[in-house]
């Protein structure tokens, strides 16, 4: 690293990452973006998200995989073989963090439980990402995002107005839990500076997201006995959605009294500012359906551009209701450089999503693109102290695997 280049906040932290799909990889990419050396351990078939998230110029490099696995290196070991397992233990002994999203029984069968690894690394942080907490009756059940959207009552919220339950078309439980995982690991790293020693973390996705849904919608049932039904009516009303204009949709939210009064002026209905149903927040709770209905009627009278300009003039929070395509063309996205075209060694031109967080002394960079399966196996084993002959023997015996990205590119 150039002496003039600021050191990334997590430089020097080594993470052995056994996760796949979304929750684990998104968590470890967050840490990788801040400078951690994330070693992505895959089996020869690779992370499932390589294959179930659309096509790519070369096999196994789907867009979703690439957007969650940049700044990592890929290592392939067969943990069911003696030498593959020994190599893993050697890597675990020199890592700060081991993280997985397999069921605990599977980790125990492989002989890489917290107890086994902390015996070779007395300061290891060992993070279990599980579907359900180990102390409950659902422990060891498999879990996917859609399963948890239903189980945490999120899907049922769509049925509040006579619709059917449905999933949010975004893996919201996985993505949110991933941030909780990254947060827990950062706390554990800080705790190590005060009191060294092995630490085991468990992040249960079901309970973690259930807490969020309940904190949002428990509402009057927060009290015993309940003082009103559950559910935030401001969020569940049928008109609590993008508002239809004469030629499209607009997103507008007015939470404060001042914003609501300004909205009445913007709509040309200043007399409503004296209406006791709407001019105080506590009153609006009981008349929210009427307020939303009135808002919808007025906004339908003009086009989207009119309302964007009009509402901005009155300092009312509003934005266009983007599609994925129009979001990419949003001028603010261009201003901040969030999406940039990069040249990938094997995938051609790709849209790279930059880290939006800014911090003094922190300059997030694309250190290396998302890896092919086992792309860095020889490099990582060499760093761990294995000789080249030993590595070649492991590769030939199927105890490790090394891909050649150029061969993959040529194959297409």
């Amino acid at each position: 690293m150039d002496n003039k280049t600021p050191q990334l906040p997590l430089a020097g932290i080594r993470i052995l990452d056994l996760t796949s799909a979304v929750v684990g990889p998104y968590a470890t990419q967050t840490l990788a973006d801040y400078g951690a050396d994330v070693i992505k351990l895959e089996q020869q078939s690779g992370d499932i998200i390589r294959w179930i998230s659309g096509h790519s110029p070369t096999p196994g490099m789907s867009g979703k995989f690439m957007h969650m696995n940049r700044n990592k290196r890929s290592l392939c070991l067969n943990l069911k073989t003696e030498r593959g397992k020994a190599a893993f233990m050697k890597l675990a002994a020199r890592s700060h963090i081991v993280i997985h999203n397999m069921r605990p029984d599977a980790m125990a069968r492989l002989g890489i439980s917290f107890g086994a690894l902390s015996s070779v690394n007395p300061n290891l942080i060992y993070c279990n990402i599980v579907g359900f907490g180990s102390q409950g009756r659902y422990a060891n059940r498999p879990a996917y995002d859609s399963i948890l959207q239903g189980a945490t009552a999120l899907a049922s919220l769509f049925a509040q107005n006579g619709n059917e339950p449905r999933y949010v078309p975004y893996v919201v439980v996985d993505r949110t839990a991933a941030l909780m995982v990254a947060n827990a690991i950062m706390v554990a790293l800080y705790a190590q500076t005060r009191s060294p020693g092995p630490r085991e973390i468990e992040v249960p996705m079901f309970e973690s997201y259930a807490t969020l849904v309940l904190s949002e919608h428990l509402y009057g049932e927060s009290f015993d006995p309940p003082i009103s039904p559950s559910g935030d009516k401001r969020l569940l009303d049928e008109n609590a959605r993008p508002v239809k204009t004469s030629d499209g949709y607009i997103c507008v939210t007015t939470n404060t009294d001042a914003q609501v009064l300004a909205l009445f002026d913007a709509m040309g209905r200043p007399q409503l500012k004296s209406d006791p149903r709407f001019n105080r927040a506590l009153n609006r709770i009981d008349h929210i359906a009427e307020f939303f209905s009135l808002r919808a009627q007025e906004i339908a009278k003009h086009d989207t551009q009119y309302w964007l300009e009009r509402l901005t003039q009155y300092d009312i929070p509003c934005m266009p209701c983007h599609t994925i395509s129009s979001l990419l063309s949003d001028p603010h996205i261009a201003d901040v450089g969030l999406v940039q075209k990069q040249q990938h060694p094997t995938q051609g031109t790709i849209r790279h999503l930059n880290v939006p967080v800014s911090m003094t002394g922190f300059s997030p960079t694309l250190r290396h693109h998302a890896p092919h399966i086992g792309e860095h196996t020889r490099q990582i084993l060499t760093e761990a102290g294995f000789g080249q002959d030993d590595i070649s023997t492991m590769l030939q015996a199927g105890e490790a695997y090394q891909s050649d990205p150029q061969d993959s590119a040529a194959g297409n």
Side-chain angles (χ1 to χ4, degrees), residues 107-160:
M107 296 295 284
R109 286 194 300 271
L110 289 169
I112 54 176
S113 64
F114 172 65
L117 298 191
S118 61
S119 68
V120 300
N121 186 339
N123 289 307
L124 181 70
I125 295 171
Y126 185 97
C127 183
N128 307 277
I129 308 174
V130 295
F132 305 92
S134 59
Q135 301 305 307
R137 66 187 63 197
Y138 300 154
N140 277 314
R141 282 192 182 187
Y144 285 115
D145 184 272
S146 55
I147 302 299
L148 297 174
Q149 284 199 37
T152 59
L154 178 63
S156 74
L157 297 177
F158 291 96
Q160 294 286 322

Side-chain angles (χ1 to χ4, degrees), residues 256-281 283-284 291 294 310 314 316:
T256 69
D257 291 343
Q259 289 168 344
V260 170
L261 299 182
L263 177 64
F264 291 148
D265 281 333
M267 294 191 308
R269 300 287 298 274
Q271 68 276 13
L272 291 172
K273 294 193 291 185
S274 60
D275 191 320
R277 296 173 298 169
F278 307 132
N279 60 9
R280 292 183 63 236
N283 294 350
R284 280 196 302 280
F291 173 72
L294 186 153
R310 181 78 170 170
Y314 282 86
I316 295 169

Side-chain angles (χ1 to χ4, degrees), residues 285-322:
I285 294 173
D286 297 323
H287 298 280
I288 199 67
E290 298 164 80
F291 173 72
F292 282 154
S293 179
L294 186 153
R295 184 186 68 177
Q297 293 169 21
E298 293 297 326
I299 288 180
K301 296 177 180 178
H302 300 284
D303 64 25
T304 299
Q305 192 57 39
Y306 170 88
W307 284 114
L308 287 174
E309 294 174 0
R310 181 78 170 170
L311 297 174
T312 299
Q313 177 186 349
Y314 282 86
D315 198 28
I316 295 169
C318 65
M319 282 291 286
C321 182
H322 276 310

Side-chain angles (χ1 to χ4, degrees), residues 377-383 385-396:
T377 295
R378 186 177 286 276
Q379 179 189 74
I380 293 167
L381 292 178
T382 300
E383 292 172 0
F386 289 87
Q388 295 305 305
D389 289 344
D390 291 336
I391 297 172
S392 294
T393 298
M394 292 177 65
L395 292 171
Q396 291 167 8

Side-chain angles (χ1 to χ4, degrees), residues 72-268:
K72 303 178 187 179
R73 298 187 291 166
S74 176
L75 164 72
C76 278
L77 291 175
N78 186 345
L79 299 185
K80 295 180 180 179
T81 66
E82 185 175 339
R83 279 186 292 199
K85 168 78 171 297
F88 174 85
M89 296 300 284
K90 191 169 184 177
L91 288 164
R94 62 194 300 269
S95 296
H96 298 86
I97 300 155
V98 169
I99 177 172
H100 75 90
N101 63 343
M102 291 186 274
R103 284 183 268 181
D105 284 356
M107 296 295 284
R109 286 194 300 271
L110 289 169
I112 54 176
S113 64
F114 172 65
L117 298 191
S118 61
S119 68
V120 300
N121 186 339
N123 289 307
L124 181 70
I125 295 171
Y126 185 97
C127 183
N128 307 277
I129 308 174
V130 295
F132 305 92
S134 59
Q135 301 305 307
R137 66 187 63 197
Y138 300 154
N140 277 314
R141 282 192 182 187
Y144 285 115
D145 184 272
S146 55
I147 302 299
L148 297 174
Q149 284 199 37
T152 59
L154 178 63
S156 74
L157 297 177
F158 291 96
Q160 294 286 322
N161 293 298
N163 299 313
E164 294 184 346
R166 62 161 298 170
Y167 301 132
V168 177
Y170 166 76
V171 283
V172 62
V173 179
D174 277 11
R175 298 275 187 170
T176 306
L179 299 178
M180 296 179 176
V181 169
N183 180 67
I185 288 174
M186 292 299 296
V187 171
L189 281 171
Y190 181 69
Q192 290 282 37
T193 67
R194 295 184 165 191
S195 177
R199 282 179 166 79
E200 184 174 22
I201 300 169
E202 179 179 274
V203 181
M205 298 169 66
F206 174 55
E207 294 95 306
S208 297
Y209 206 77
T211 298
L212 298 181
V213 174
L214 290 172
S215 67
E216 192 74 58
H217 286 289
L218 197 54
Y219 233 57
E221 290 194 32
S222 300
F223 308 97
D224 190 11
I227 61 174
S228 68
S230 62
D232 185 338
K233 291 186 288 187
R234 296 175 308 118
L235 304 177
L236 296 175
D237 188 86
E238 63 178 350
N239 283 313
R241 56 185 176 181
V243 187
K244 187 169 179 55
T245 65
S246 63
D247 67 346
Y249 291 88
I250 190 172
C251 302
V252 55
T253 295
T254 50
N255 284 334
T256 69
D257 291 343
Q259 289 168 344
V260 170
L261 299 182
L263 177 64
F264 291 148
D265 281 333
M267 294 191 308

